[in-house]
Amino acid sequence: PEAAERLHPADEKRILRALEVYRETGKTISAHNAETSALPPRYDAVWIGLQFRDRADMKALIDRRVDKMVEEGLLEEVRQLLQSGLPRDATALQAIGYKQFLAVAEGRATVAEAIAEVKLRSRQYAKRQLTWLRRNEAIHWILWEKTPDFSAGLQNATEFLLSAGVC
């Protein structure tokens, strides 16, 4: 009942997950989640996060990565997946990039529209990831400049791991 109150009726994935948990355990998803969150962590984790100092640099990197994916044949890959018999509603084709280029393959969007949407959705996803990760106060952040300095990042991470007693 608790999950039913908070889940949207169209949220099939979470509804199915709640039903699976109940069928397998005999417990509601709310009770199951409460029990598992009360368990002590299995591992004494050390967290390291990478983040651009300037968000504009992250956006530019994402845009370049999308351009490279398109250049390396994202549309052709989607077409091959469809030709191989992968159903159009397969979870794999709902991923960022695949979903937008599925629309191109089906004639519902242009390549330019798909590229713009993949860039937008990728930037939104990166922002959500950072928002989620920032809740973890234990993360040691390594801040990248416009051009990441990998040797400095490695040195920073190594020093942090040594101070945490990991190595």
Side-chain angles (χ1 to χ4, degrees), residues 86-104:
L86 188 67
R88 284 172 162 64
D89 62 349
T91 302
L93 289 176
Q94 302 310 305
I96 297 171
Y98 288 96
K99 183 175 186 175
Q100 291 74 21
F101 276 86
L102 175 62
V104 174

Side-chain angles (χ1 to χ4, degrees), residues 146-161:
K146 183 177 287 296
T147 302
D149 182 344
F150 292 99
S151 60
L154 178 62
Q155 180 67 32
N156 184 316
T158 302
E159 289 171 6
F160 173 69
L161 292 171

Side-chain angles (χ1 to χ4, degrees), residues 123-164:
R123 291 190 300 263
Q124 289 171 335
Y125 187 62
K127 184 179 178 190
R128 284 193 307 273
Q129 287 178 320
L130 286 171
T131 298
W132 186 82
L133 288 168
R134 282 190 197 112
R135 296 183 317 176
N136 183 344
E137 294 177 9
I139 292 179
H140 172 77
W141 290 100
I142 297 174
L143 300 177
W144 289 138
E145 300 301 331
K146 183 177 287 296
T147 302
D149 182 344
F150 292 99
S151 60
L154 178 62
Q155 180 67 32
N156 184 316
T158 302
E159 289 171 6
F160 173 69
L161 292 171
L162 285 169
S163 71

Side-chain angles (χ1 to χ4, degrees), residues 28-89:
T28 65
I29 189 76
S30 301
H32 172 74
N33 290 345
E35 285 178 17
T36 56
S37 66
L39 294 173
R42 283 189 195 177
Y43 308 101
D44 188 17
V46 176
W47 301 82
I48 297 175
L50 301 173
Q51 178 177 205
F52 279 93
R53 189 176 300 278
D54 183 350
R55 187 173 286 174
D57 294 331
M58 178 188 71
K59 290 177 181 179
L61 180 65
I62 289 170
D63 289 352
R64 287 193 307 271
R65 178 67 186 123
V66 171
D67 290 338
K68 187 172 187 208
M69 289 166 53
V70 172
E71 180 184 308
E72 292 179 351
L74 180 57
L75 178 57
E76 292 77 18
E77 183 177 344
V78 169
R79 286 182 175 142
Q80 287 175 354
L81 289 169
L82 292 172
Q83 288 172 358
S84 75
L86 188 67
R88 284 172 162 64
D89 62 349

